Amino acid sequence: MKFALQINEGPYQHQASDTAYCFAKALLEQGHAIFRVFFYHDGVNNATRFTTPPQDDRHIVNRWAALAEQYELDLVVCVAAAQRRGVVDEGEATRHKKDATNIHPRFRISGLGQLVEAAIQADRLVVFGD
Amino acid sequence: MSILHTVNKSPFERNSLASCLKFATPGAAVLLIEDGVYAGLRGTTAVPLITDALERVKIYVLGPDLKARGFAAERLIPGIGVVDYAQFVALAVQHAKVQAWL
């Protein structure tokens, strides 16, 4: 079965991203697929590669990236939510004349249409938030 | 068409569980996750809400979230099921839709 996940909250502030990760891992291990993970609202903060938690804590950003690497997941960050919160890739940096980027290379920035498409293409859309 | 409802708020913080149960139709399942697990405990003011709902819908608690808050399954109201993440996935597969009551 094909799943789409939507995550509305950032890392370390709320449990949503942790719950979504454990759910994603469990479904992939059962042989189900993830069509897309869409990071919306504060959820875009799950994509900043400069995140540096203490060594004995889970690294939420890298953990998503590693799962995406292993299962070739499509991790999409909402562009409008990302612009507001300063999550920037090369394209956004050029367009808005920023001096740096901070998005993890395993994530990509795109629009709400990607969430709509995921909702249509997937058998189940599961939302995690506050 | 049956729905899996997820509730992640303590009933002592917000009324999302009450809202969910108002709309949940017979045959639906309600999964208490994150702070939602507090609704499943014995001896609280939420017990009537849960016991009434158990006559119409199935109610589950996400075990890892219950354990993370320091409670054993023995503390739960009888009739509530305990599931792990793999069973959370199975519930999502079994039901036609998953509705999060955020």
Side-chain angles (χ1 to χ4, degrees), chain A:
Chain A
M1 186 170 270
K2 264 188 295 182
F3 282 83
L5 307 186
Q6 179 185 332
I7 298 165
N8 294 341
E9 288 297 322
Y12 306 105
Q13 169 72 12
H14 189 276
Q15 205 187 329
S17 184
D18 292 287
T19 305
Y21 174 81
C22 293
F23 183 79
K25 198 162 177 288
L27 78 87
L28 291 165
E29 284 167 359
Q30 284 182 39
H32 297 297
I34 294 180
F35 179 79
R36 182 168 292 143
V37 184
F38 192 83
F39 295 87
Y40 200 17
H41 304 293
D42 268 5
V44 301
N45 291 315
N46 285 288
T48 57
R49 71 169 187 273
F50 295 142
T51 303
T52 313
Q55 284 189 352
D56 59 350
D57 196 358
R58 70 222 185 280
H59 195 306
I60 294 179
V61 176
N62 287 358
R63 200 169 62 167
W64 274 115
L67 198 68
E69 195 65 41
Q70 188 183 349
Y71 292 95
E72 293 179 13
L73 303 183
D74 188 19
L75 307 181
V76 174
V77 173
C78 170
V79 60
Q83 284 172 348
R84 288 190 176 93
R85 292 164 180 82
V87 176
V88 178
D89 66 1
E90 289 289 345
E92 292 296 303
T94 307
R95 184 161 23 169
H96 299 287
K97 299 186 170 57
K98 303 295 180 189
D99 58 7
T101 70
N102 62 346
I103 196 168
H104 189 287
R106 211 62 194 69
F107 294 75
R108 65 185 181 94
I109 294 179
S110 191
L112 263 186
Q114 300 281 304
L115 174 60
V116 175
E117 188 200 19
I120 293 168
Q121 294 295 329
D123 301 300
R124 301 284 184 276
L125 171 64
V126 188
V127 183
F128 299 89
D130 190 9

Side-chain angles (χ1 to χ4, degrees), chain B residues 36-50:
Chain B
V37 301
Y38 289 115
L41 299 174
R42 295 171 193 245
T44 79
T45 52
V47 170
L49 190 66
I50 294 287

